Amino acid sequence: MSDTRVLRRIVLGLTGTTPTVEQYEAMATAATSEARESLLRSTLEEVLASPKFYERMVRFGHEWLAVGAYTTGAAGDAYQGDMSGHLFTCPSNSLHPGAYYHTNEFRERDSGQQCNDKDGAGNPAVPEVNTVEPWWAPGTTVQVLGKAGTSTTHITDSNGQQVDCGIANGGYYDPSLPSGCGCGQNLVWCSPLVGLHTLGTHDLRLQRRHPYEEPARLFAHLAWHDRPLSDLVIGNYSVGTNWLRALYVRFGRHMGSAALDANTTWWRPDVGDAPRDPMHPTPNDPQAWREFVVEELEPFHLSLTENRTRSGSLERTYRYDPRTTTEAPKGIPTAGVLTMMGAMSSFPRERVRAARFLEMFACQSFSPPPADVHFPPLETDPATGGTCLHCHKTLDPAAISFKRWDFSPFQSYYVPWPFIPGVGRHRVTKEWLSGQYPHTGSTPGFRWKNAFLPNTMLTPVTPEQLKANPEAVLLDTMPESYTLLGEHGDGTMGPLGFGKLLVRSGEFDRCTARRLYAMFIGRQLNPATEKGFIDKLAREFVARDRKLRPFIRYLFEQPELRRGL
């Protein structure tokens, strides 16, 4: 290829746009090959430092780390994936135009009577009016009607029991509760949305878009801030706007932690110096994708003690075996994309999660077996018999790591919320596994009873161990006797154990090198005929600390770039 075409390839591949007229003219007027080569190198550095490079990496991140919409469990306005009480806005022709109200305040349902100083029966009832700085719009104030805008943190139910407003969300979901809950400091227990508005993820003004966006944004963040790409599967941090951060905060609160109740800074974008995306450089922008350690917002996503090795990996280990203890685990270790709310929720079952993550990060593919292959008969375990063995012998050792994410009922029986079973206030008892799960009568305990069969590869526990501790069915540590991608597990619990195995086996490096090569050079590599070349690329990737910019510079120095492939 000519130098002009190489210029176009660099700019188009890294920014998604063609070179400017000025860039073309500079190349045309360069008198020597050395001058043109210097221009290509300077252009490469220029585009790598451009915010357009970040935007391009977001788009590539969506192609690579494709997750579904954050809708699993229920649909429409009934879906409560925000895990918050809902604040509605008074109409412009009311006595309190633009003010927020909670529909449970006067026991009416969505009628908004309090906007006109009436109760649910239409009788005069003047609500409290409070002015509050809301978490979703720092630096501004809103008017809130009724107790929702107060500091009320507990109410008493009809049985005389104290109800925690941080979990009850203002009593909106349970008509048996009395009214009077506040929305917490700065309204952090409530959200100014009806559910998550729509099933779509097309607009960043919708909260549901943000957990869908998180994997791609983390990838672009790692690229922009020169972090190891291995943090996609073993990192203890992520990036998020106020909308996304709120989901993690509410998740932890419903799991049973009040650690964030006194924190008045997680939603303030101008507090601290956390790295952020280049598209939102102003310090007070709540829509900036700002880095955060997940455990600091959601205490059950464990950070753990960490040491970064010379290769850029994080060494973090948490071992927990429910076969030998009835103590509750502290949580699950955070593992980048592998423990993101959007990723875990859009892949609703452990085997599906394992398959998708193996495809993403190990370039695995799962297809039916050849017709002439004979398998042992299927008895109870698809990983040891039947045609399903073809895939499940790989899937099930990986799927063990993804058991601790499911959907649970709360005050309302028909709208499930995500939760980490066996962790926090969600302990699992034998009643769950009998199918008599509280509030629902069937799921998820009934599913576990049928899917997590003792003495199978997915659930390597004995009936005796299960009887001693029903939570043993949720064993999510791959036994050291198992192998996956040619490696034995190291005893780390949950998705982090799977992520560490991806990196330790070298499959993450080989797969990432293949994906980056296809993206920036433009040709898919064949692992059957080009294994040696893929291994070489993986070594070069690791030698550059698994950072994207250095690896791109390496790729753009290779002669294949000029072959027009």
Side-chain angles (χ1 to χ4, degrees):
M1 289 195 298
S2 66
D3 293 321
T4 304
R5 285 193 63 193
V6 174
L7 171 70
R8 174 183 170 85
R9 190 163 194 176
I10 289 173
V11 177
L12 187 60
L14 296 178
T15 69
T17 61
T18 56
T20 64
V21 172
E22 291 75 16
Q23 287 174 317
Y24 277 128
E25 289 176 342
M27 184 62 69
T29 57
T32 64
S33 60
E34 290 79 9
R36 291 190 292 274
E37 190 64 32
S38 178
L39 274 174
L40 291 176
R41 285 194 298 269
S42 63
T43 300
L44 176 61
E45 295 304 319
E46 179 183 341
V47 297
L48 287 175
S50 168
K52 289 184 178 181
F53 171 65
Y54 172 86
E55 291 183 299
R56 186 74 180 96
M57 294 306 97
V58 171
R59 293 195 295 272
F60 176 49
H62 279 302
E63 296 170 8
W64 177 12
L65 312 174
V67 299
Y70 181 56
T71 58
T72 302
D77 288 341
Y79 182 72
Q80 299 296 145
D82 56 2
M83 299 168 282
S84 297
H86 291 153
L87 294 173
F88 297 78
T89 307
C90 290
S92 58
N93 61 352
S94 68
L95 297 179
H96 302 280
Y100 286 101
Y101 67 94
H102 198 292
T103 59
N104 198 50
E105 181 63 25
F106 292 130
R107 312 311 304 165
E108 83 280 11
R109 306 294 284 186
D110 299 347
S111 63
Q113 293 272 44
Q114 57 197 295
C115 293
N116 290 304
D117 293 353
K118 296 179 181 180
D119 65 14
N123 301 313
V126 180
E128 294 185 47
V129 180
N130 290 280
T131 301
V132 183
E133 181 186 12
W135 64 265
W136 62 84
T140 68
T141 58
V142 296
Q143 283 192 333
V144 186
L145 305 182
K147 295 294 184 182
T150 71
S151 58
T152 304
T153 60
H154 291 81
I155 57 177
T156 304
D157 65 15
S158 56
N159 297 319
Q161 300 296 315
Q162 287 283 298
V163 176
D164 183 350
C165 292
I167 295 176
N169 295 315
Y172 176 58
Y173 309 112
D174 189 348
S176 68
L177 288 177
S179 62
C181 261
C183 284
Q185 190 163 336
N186 301 102
L187 308 178
V188 294
W189 298 338
C190 294
S191 172
L193 301 174
V194 183
L196 293 179
H197 275 325
T198 72
L199 296 179
T201 58
H202 63 282
D203 194 330
L204 281 168
R205 290 176 297 179
L206 305 178
Q207 190 186 34
R208 183 169 285 166
R209 169 65 180 256
H210 295 240
Y212 160 79
E213 191 87 4
E214 186 181 7
R217 292 284 176 168
L218 178 59
F219 169 73
H221 183 83
L222 300 179
W224 183 254
H225 291 285
D226 289 326
R227 305 290 183 80
L229 296 190
S230 52
D231 285 354
L232 288 171
V233 295
I234 58 175
N236 68 340
Y237 61 95
S238 186
V239 291
T241 63
N242 273 16
W243 284 126
L244 182 65
R245 288 165 171 244
L247 291 180
Y248 281 101
V249 171
R250 292 303 296 141
F251 182 84
R253 193 63 172 82
H254 275 276
M255 285 291 298
S257 172
L260 271 291
D261 282 3
N263 186 321
T264 61
T265 63
W266 66 261
W267 49 274
R268 296 189 181 278
D270 56 347
V271 173
D273 57 355
R276 62 185 63 209
D277 70 286
M279 312 311 297
H280 300 85
T282 56
N284 60 346
D285 191 342
Q287 295 304 312
W289 290 85
R290 313 187 310 277
E291 184 178 311
F292 63 93
V293 174
V294 182
E295 186 182 24
E296 294 178 0
L297 297 187
E298 201 292 273
F300 298 103
H301 275 70
L302 306 179
S303 181
L304 309 174
T305 302
E306 63 184 52
N307 295 293
R308 192 174 292 281
T309 66
R310 291 184 63 185
S311 64
S313 299
L314 289 177
E315 288 297 334
R316 298 161 50 233
T317 299
Y318 178 56
R319 290 181 169 85
Y320 174 78
D321 190 341
R323 297 171 299 183
T324 60
T325 180
T326 58
E327 294 287 327
K330 296 177 182 178
I332 59 172
T334 310
V337 175
L338 306 180
T339 50
M340 287 180 179
M341 293 179 63
M344 293 285 272
S345 295
S346 69
F347 307 139
R349 296 290 179 261
E350 52 285 331
R351 284 173 169 131
V352 179
R353 292 172 196 140
R356 297 292 83 79
F357 291 138
L358 283 168
E359 289 168 349
M360 283 184 193
F361 298 117
C363 291
Q364 295 281 301
S365 61
F366 297 96
S367 56
D372 59 349
V373 175
H374 298 284
F375 296 94
L378 173 63
E379 295 180 356
T380 59
D381 189 352
T384 59
T387 56
C388 297
L389 165 64
H390 181 67
C391 292
H392 280 264
K393 64 182 179 181
T394 299
L395 283 181
D396 285 20
I400 288 176
S401 301
F402 297 101
K403 285 182 175 179
R404 288 187 189 271
W405 190 272
D406 220 302
F407 297 88
S408 166
F410 54 112
Q411 285 82 5
S412 175
Y413 69 91
Y414 65 94
V415 183
W417 284 1
F419 79 121
I420 305 174
V423 174
R425 67 189 187 95
H426 296 291
R427 298 303 302 272
V428 175
T429 65
K430 63 181 181 181
E431 286 75 22
W432 289 42
L433 301 181
S434 70
Q436 301 303 309
Y437 177 76
H439 307 301
T440 69
S442 58
T443 60
F446 189 72
R447 185 184 76 83
W448 296 342
K449 178 183 178 181
N450 290 281
F452 300 159
L453 299 177
N455 292 323
T456 60
M457 184 166 285
L458 182 62
T459 309
V461 301
T462 65
E464 293 73 24
Q465 290 169 329
L466 186 59
K467 185 177 181 180
N469 180 16
E471 289 185 339
V473 76
L474 297 171
L475 175 69
D476 57 340
T477 300
M478 192 178 86
E480 294 184 4
S481 60
Y482 285 19
T483 59
L484 178 64
L485 304 177
E487 292 286 328
H488 292 278
D490 72 349
T492 300
M493 173 193 182
L496 179 61
F498 174 78
K500 290 169 66 176
L501 190 147
L502 284 173
V503 176
R504 189 170 66 251
S505 68
E507 291 303 321
F508 174 84
D509 300 323
R510 285 185 282 272
C511 183
T512 301
R514 287 173 59 186
R515 294 189 182 279
L516 297 179
Y517 191 88
M519 169 65 184
F520 298 114
I521 301 300
R523 183 174 70 85
Q524 297 284 345
L525 296 175
N526 187 330
T529 60
E530 297 179 282
K531 181 181 182 302
F533 185 47
I534 292 171
D535 290 344
K536 179 180 185 298
L537 289 175
R539 290 192 297 270
E540 298 291 348
F541 176 59
V542 172
R544 288 158 178 79
D545 296 327
R546 299 188 172 95
K547 296 177 181 179
L548 183 57
R549 280 195 183 105
F551 189 61
I552 288 175
R553 293 186 183 102
Y554 165 78
L555 291 179
F556 277 74
E557 291 172 355
Q558 303 311 302
E560 189 167 7
L561 178 71
R562 287 183 175 268
R563 294 176 188 165
L565 297 172

